[in-house]
């Protein structure tokens, strides 16, 4: 009985956090039907369909195809087992991501509760994550970011546990090797997991200095990392070389990108400014001359402090580095400069959310409370103010950015009486359209010449992917009486603009068949043939 009581006391609250996470993120997308409770068909984006399509491959083919530079293959490998057990419906694949995200928050909650010895601050951490629209978006998205969040939290926990032991002069090689192994697995989920690895190196050298005490654990951790990741290093190096030489199709980030990124994470400017001020206060406390117990925080004195008294400061430093370094470095790589490699700053830094949110909770604890209120009630008051600001614009039904479902439904209805051809743009939307237009053809996957295979499957239903503006004439589309055109990307590439120029030259606008209130606008048009070119 004592053992059961101990387990409930230790893990009962964490279990509650897990199920609350499932409820908060999943409830807006639940429906009751005759088969029971299931996630609604909220739609899959083209990138999600990319993952589902590749997850159908045999395991060996998944690793072979995704080791050519597209994406690391771990998430599709996990998804492979999931869809062959529970199916490839939107409900099924979103449920997997929901479970992974709930596990990530549960582990983060338990870690912060243990390290800060405060259920309140751990609950604040979980609460901010629950309130963030962007975290909710990732929590249900059938992409590698959900797995990256979970493995990132596990890496944080293992690394911090190992470095605490090192501070107490307890060196355990196995703990550092295990950290290296988990970090390698994390990097197999997404390339950006390596930013967490780099941040951990920076923290190690910041707190221990470049000494034997820091280099020894780093060596063991790096050996563990190389043991699993060495086969993938050539792919990683080639990917970065190609990206640095050819760049990306993303526009350079503005100088205000960090603020705009935080705005994405925290729903509105009010919450962003409040959390930003809290973050700045925590940073000030972190770099102030006096530590919690009033002693100097020089590196020599820090090593002699009682570890239990210094634990919270050490955690604050780690959370600060783990959140600010990736955000700033990815931003600097994305702004206009000679070395510019533009990236989606909010998307590609989303893995910092656990550390960023936890550091916000840590910073709240550093705000001095007035004499007329207890410290616990003061933390509660500040937390309620932050939650109120976050909830102003909380939207659990925010767009999943997956309009293909409604587009295909409209096309099927329209083409009943007028089976005109459809121009699909961009080419990678083929995964998404085929998933909703002909799921049987989608499941008839091919592990080589994938886009050619998709093109042939869609062409059988007169849906065409144009690889160049010359394809328009080669497919003899110029003389059709009616043409449908759908553009399933919120940002138009140079190629898309060229295709639209050709369409406008040969056809006149007839009607708009589908629109969207999300980031997608006017996503399905109907055009009628005209013999003379004109300008719209």
């Amino acid at each position: 009985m004592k053992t059961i009581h101990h387990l409930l006391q230790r893990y009962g609250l964490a279990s509650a956090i897990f199920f609350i996470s499932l409820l908060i993120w999943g409830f807006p997308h639940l429906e009751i039907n005759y088969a029971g409770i299931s996630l609604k068909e909220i739609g899959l984006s083209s990138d999600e369909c990319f993952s589902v399509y590749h997850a159908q491959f045999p395991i060996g083919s998944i690793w072979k195809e995704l080791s050519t530079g597209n994406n690391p293959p771990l998430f599709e490998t996990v998804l492979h087992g999931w869809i062959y057990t529970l199916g490839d419906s939107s409900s099924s694949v979103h449920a997997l991501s929901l479970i992974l995200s709930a596990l990530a928050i549960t582990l983060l909650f338990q870690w912060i509760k243990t390290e800060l010895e405060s259920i309140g601050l751990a609950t604040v951490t979980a609460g901010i994550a629950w309130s963030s629209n962007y975290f909710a978006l990732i929590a249900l998205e059938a992409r590698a970011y959900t797995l990256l969040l979970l493995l990132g939290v596990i890496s944080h926990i293992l690394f911090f546990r190992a470095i605490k032991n090192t501070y107490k002069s307890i060196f355990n090689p196995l703990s550092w090797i295990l950290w290296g192994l988990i970090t390698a697995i994390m990097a197999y989920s997404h390339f950006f997991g390596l930013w967490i690895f780099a941040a951990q190196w920076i923290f190690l050298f910041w707190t221990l200095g470049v000494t034997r005490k820091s280099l020894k654990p780093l060596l063991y951790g790096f050996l563990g990392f190389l043991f699993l990741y060495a086969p993938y290093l050539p792919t990683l190096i080639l990917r970065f070389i190609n990206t640095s030489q050819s760049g990306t199709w993303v526009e350079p980030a503005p100088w205000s990108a960090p603020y705009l990124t935080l705005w994405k994470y925290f729903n509105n400017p009010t919450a962003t400014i409040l959390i930003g001020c809290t973050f700045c206060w925590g940073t000030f406390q972190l770099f102030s001359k006096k530590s919690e117990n009033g002693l100097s925080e020089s590196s020599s004195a820090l090593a002699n402090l009682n570890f239990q008294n210094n634990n919270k400061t050490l955690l604050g430093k780690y959370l600060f580095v783990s959140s600010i370094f990736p955000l700033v470095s990815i931003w600097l790589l994305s702004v206009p400069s000679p070395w510019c490699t533009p990236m989606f700053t909010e998307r590609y830094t989303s893995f910092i959310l656990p550390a960023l949110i936890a550091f916000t909770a840590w910073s709240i604890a550093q705000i001095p409370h007035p004499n007329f209120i207890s410290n616990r009630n003061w933390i509660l008051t500040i937390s309620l103010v932050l939650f109120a600001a976050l909830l102003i614009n909380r939207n659990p039904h925010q767009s999943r950015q997956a309009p293909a479902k409604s587009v295909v439904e409209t096309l099927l209805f329209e083409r009943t009486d007028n089976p005109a051809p459809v121009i699909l743009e961009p080419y990678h939307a083929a995964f998404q359209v085929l998933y909703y237009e002909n799921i049987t053809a989608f499941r008839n996957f091919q592990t080589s010449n994938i886009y050619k295979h998709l093109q042939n499957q869609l062409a059988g239903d007169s849906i065409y992917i144009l690889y160049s503006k010359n394809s328009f004439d080669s497919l003899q589309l110029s003389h059709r009486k009616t043409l449908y055109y759908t553009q399933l990307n919120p940002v138009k590439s140079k190629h898309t603009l060229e295709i639209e120029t050709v369409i406008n030259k040969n056809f006149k606008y007839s009607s708009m068949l589908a629109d969207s209130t999300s980031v997608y606008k006017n996503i399905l048009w109907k055009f009628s043939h005209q013999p003379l070119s004109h300008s719209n």
Side-chain angles (χ1 to χ4, degrees), residues 241-524:
I241 291 175
N242 291 339
T243 302
S244 62
Q245 291 178 346
S246 59
T248 64
W249 60 270
V250 183
E251 291 295 322
W255 288 97
S256 57
Y259 168 73
L260 297 176
T261 298
L262 295 178
W263 184 351
K264 283 272 191 180
Y265 294 163
F266 300 124
N267 304 354
N268 59 72
T270 302
T272 302
I273 292 172
L274 288 175
I275 290 178
C277 291
T278 304
F279 191 97
C280 289
W281 175 258
T283 304
F284 171 75
Q285 291 297 104
L286 207 56
F287 288 93
S288 62
K289 294 182 179 180
K290 300 292 181 179
S291 64
E292 289 179 273
N293 53 11
L295 295 176
S296 171
E297 278 198 338
S298 65
S299 58
S300 59
L302 184 60
N304 296 321
L305 293 177
N306 180 278
F307 180 77
Q308 292 302 322
N309 292 333
N310 192 54
N311 184 28
K312 295 179 181 179
T313 301
L314 192 68
L315 179 65
K317 284 186 175 183
Y318 178 66
L319 294 174
F320 172 81
V321 173
S322 298
S323 55
I324 205 69
F325 167 72
L327 179 65
V328 172
S329 59
I330 290 177
W331 167 58
L332 290 177
L333 284 173
S334 301
V335 295
S337 66
W339 56 85
C340 177
T341 306
M343 291 176 273
F344 295 113
T345 51
E346 74 279 355
R347 168 62 65 177
Y348 291 156
T349 60
S350 59
F351 62 87
I352 72 169
L353 273 167
L356 177 65
I357 293 170
F359 185 72
T360 301
W362 183 90
S363 299
I364 290 173
Q366 312 308 311
I367 301 175
H369 63 92
N371 293 329
F372 59 84
I373 187 172
S374 67
N375 187 50
R376 178 181 295 181
N377 290 335
W378 178 241
I379 290 175
L380 177 62
T381 301
I382 297 174
S383 302
L384 290 175
V385 171
L386 288 181
F387 289 148
L390 282 163
L391 293 175
I392 291 173
N393 292 95
R394 186 174 188 273
N395 178 17
H397 296 280
Q398 77 176 107
S399 169
R400 309 302 305 177
Q401 299 189 5
K405 183 181 178 183
S406 60
V407 167
V408 170
E409 289 173 349
T410 304
L411 275 173
L412 291 175
F413 176 78
E414 286 286 330
R415 296 175 80 198
T416 302
D417 298 323
N418 187 4
V422 182
I423 302 300
L424 176 62
E425 184 66 25
Y427 69 92
H428 55 74
F431 291 104
Q432 192 180 10
V433 171
L434 188 61
Y435 179 87
Y436 287 108
E437 196 270 339
N438 190 340
I439 188 65
T440 302
F442 182 88
R443 291 168 179 161
N444 182 26
F445 63 85
Q446 186 170 306
T447 59
S448 61
N449 298 319
I450 293 172
Y451 286 103
K452 184 67 175 178
H453 175 69
L454 293 172
Q455 183 182 26
N456 292 336
Q457 297 284 0
L458 289 169
D461 293 318
S462 297
I463 300 176
Y464 299 100
I465 304 169
L466 303 185
Y467 289 101
S468 72
K469 58 185 180 181
N470 297 327
S471 304
F472 197 81
D473 290 324
S474 65
L475 294 171
Q476 297 183 345
L477 296 173
S478 305
H479 305 292
R480 296 297 186 100
K481 292 182 179 180
T482 306
L483 186 74
Y484 299 105
Y485 172 69
T486 181
Q487 201 270 325
L488 296 173
N489 196 343
V491 180
K492 294 183 179 181
S493 66
K494 181 181 179 181
H495 177 267
T496 298
L497 295 175
E498 289 179 349
I499 298 301
E500 291 183 355
T501 300
V502 174
I503 293 175
N504 287 327
K505 180 180 179 181
N506 292 274
F507 290 82
K508 64 180 179 180
Y509 171 80
S510 178
S511 61
M512 182 179 67
L513 301 177
D515 195 7
S516 176
T517 57
S518 68
V519 292
Y520 293 86
K521 299 293 182 182
N522 306 335
I523 53 179
L524 178 60

Side-chain angles (χ1 to χ4, degrees), residues 44-314:
L44 293 174
S45 69
S46 61
D47 286 337
E48 288 177 300
C49 289
F50 174 93
S51 294
V52 175
Y53 186 87
H54 285 79
Q56 298 176 112
F57 294 4
I59 298 294
S61 297
I62 293 175
W63 283 74
K64 181 180 179 181
E65 172 63 25
L66 295 182
S67 294
T68 59
N70 290 313
N71 296 285
L74 183 60
F75 177 72
E76 283 74 14
T77 303
V78 174
L79 188 59
H80 171 87
W82 183 270
I83 65 175
Y84 270 88
T85 304
L86 299 172
D88 60 1
S89 68
S90 171
S91 303
S92 173
V93 297
H94 284 145
L96 171 62
S97 298
L98 181 59
I99 291 171
L100 294 175
S101 302
L103 284 172
I105 285 298
T106 303
L107 291 176
L108 181 65
F109 170 88
Q110 186 66 27
W111 181 43
I112 297 302
K113 179 173 99 50
T114 301
E115 298 300 338
L116 295 182
E117 300 177 341
S118 171
I119 294 177
L121 291 175
T123 304
V124 169
T125 303
I128 295 176
W130 291 335
S131 304
S132 167
N133 287 333
Y134 207 88
F135 210 116
L137 179 70
I138 293 175
L140 280 170
E141 193 173 42
R143 296 182 66 187
Y145 297 101
T146 53
L147 184 59
L148 177 61
L149 284 178
L150 174 60
L151 294 173
V153 172
I154 295 174
S155 178
H156 289 321
I157 293 172
L158 292 177
F159 175 80
F160 195 72
R161 181 182 299 171
I163 204 167
K164 280 198 307 180
N165 289 334
T166 301
Y167 258 95
K168 292 186 289 186
S169 298
I170 301 173
F171 180 72
N172 184 353
L174 289 179
S175 65
W176 288 101
I177 292 174
L178 180 60
W179 162 63
L181 293 173
I182 288 295
T183 304
I185 295 173
M186 177 178 63
Y188 275 120
S189 68
H190 200 290
F191 289 125
F192 284 90
L194 294 173
W195 253 270
I196 295 177
F197 197 29
Q200 289 166 336
W201 283 23
I202 292 172
F203 175 76
L204 192 69
F205 291 139
W206 180 22
T207 55
L208 295 179
V210 185
T211 62
R212 182 180 178 183
K213 193 174 183 179
S214 64
L215 292 176
K216 187 177 179 181
L218 183 60
L219 175 62
Y220 279 95
F222 194 64
L223 287 176
F225 174 81
L226 283 181
F227 177 76
L228 286 183
Y229 206 71
Y232 207 76
L233 279 176
T235 300
L236 174 69
I237 295 170
L238 183 63
R239 177 66 183 269
F240 275 94
I241 291 175
N242 291 339
T243 302
S244 62
Q245 291 178 346
S246 59
T248 64
W249 60 270
V250 183
E251 291 295 322
W255 288 97
S256 57
Y259 168 73
L260 297 176
T261 298
L262 295 178
W263 184 351
K264 283 272 191 180
Y265 294 163
F266 300 124
N267 304 354
N268 59 72
T270 302
T272 302
I273 292 172
L274 288 175
I275 290 178
C277 291
T278 304
F279 191 97
C280 289
W281 175 258
T283 304
F284 171 75
Q285 291 297 104
L286 207 56
F287 288 93
S288 62
K289 294 182 179 180
K290 300 292 181 179
S291 64
E292 289 179 273
N293 53 11
L295 295 176
S296 171
E297 278 198 338
S298 65
S299 58
S300 59
L302 184 60
N304 296 321
L305 293 177
N306 180 278
F307 180 77
Q308 292 302 322
N309 292 333
N310 192 54
N311 184 28
K312 295 179 181 179
T313 301
L314 192 68

